[in-house]
Amino acid sequence: MSGYTDYKQKALEDPAVRAEYDALQPEYDIIQALIDARNTEGLTQKELSERTGITQADISRIENGTRNPSLEMVKRLASGLGMRLRLEFVPDSSVQTGK
């Protein structure tokens, strides 16, 4: 394992760190999905910018986690990638619904 992997594994043993990490997971999922789709399509950030009208700087900020895109912006990115956005809700096994 790498130093980072070891550090992450140890840090996530702390319940407070784990809770914060889990709370940020949806944002990380969006970032990773965008990067993966852009790479699969063989597009640079600049090319995606030209297709969507979203600045390359904003695309970079989204990908590095310093900008939270609106739903409309994510839909534009999907369209620029030749894709459509699909949002889904999945059961959270850590939450009891009282049913």
Side-chain angles (χ1 to χ4, degrees):
M1 276 203 249
S2 73
Y4 172 74
T5 303
D6 292 339
Y7 170 78
K8 179 180 171 185
Q9 185 176 14
K10 179 127 178 89
L12 291 176
E13 291 173 6
D14 179 333
V17 172
R18 169 58 81 174
E20 188 63 27
Y21 179 83
D22 290 345
L24 292 171
Q25 193 60 50
E27 285 86 350
Y28 292 131
D29 289 346
I30 290 170
I31 291 167
Q32 195 60 57
L34 172 59
I35 293 168
D36 291 347
R38 188 173 58 74
N39 288 334
T40 296
E41 293 302 310
L43 294 173
T44 65
Q45 291 177 347
K46 185 176 189 306
E47 290 167 330
L48 183 56
S49 170
E50 291 167 355
R51 288 185 179 192
T52 61
I54 298 168
T55 67
Q56 184 273 325
D58 273 341
I59 293 170
S60 176
R61 287 181 191 108
I62 293 166
E63 289 187 2
N64 70 35
T66 59
R67 172 134 173 28
N68 286 325
S70 66
L71 181 56
E72 185 58 38
M73 185 177 281
V74 175
K75 288 170 33 180
R76 285 173 54 199
L77 289 165
S79 178
L81 291 162
M83 300 178 180
R84 64 182 178 86
L85 179 64
R86 184 179 76 195
L87 176 70
E88 64 182 310
F89 291 86
V90 295
D92 184 347
S93 60
S94 70
V95 175
Q96 304 243 345
T97 60
K99 290 184 179 180

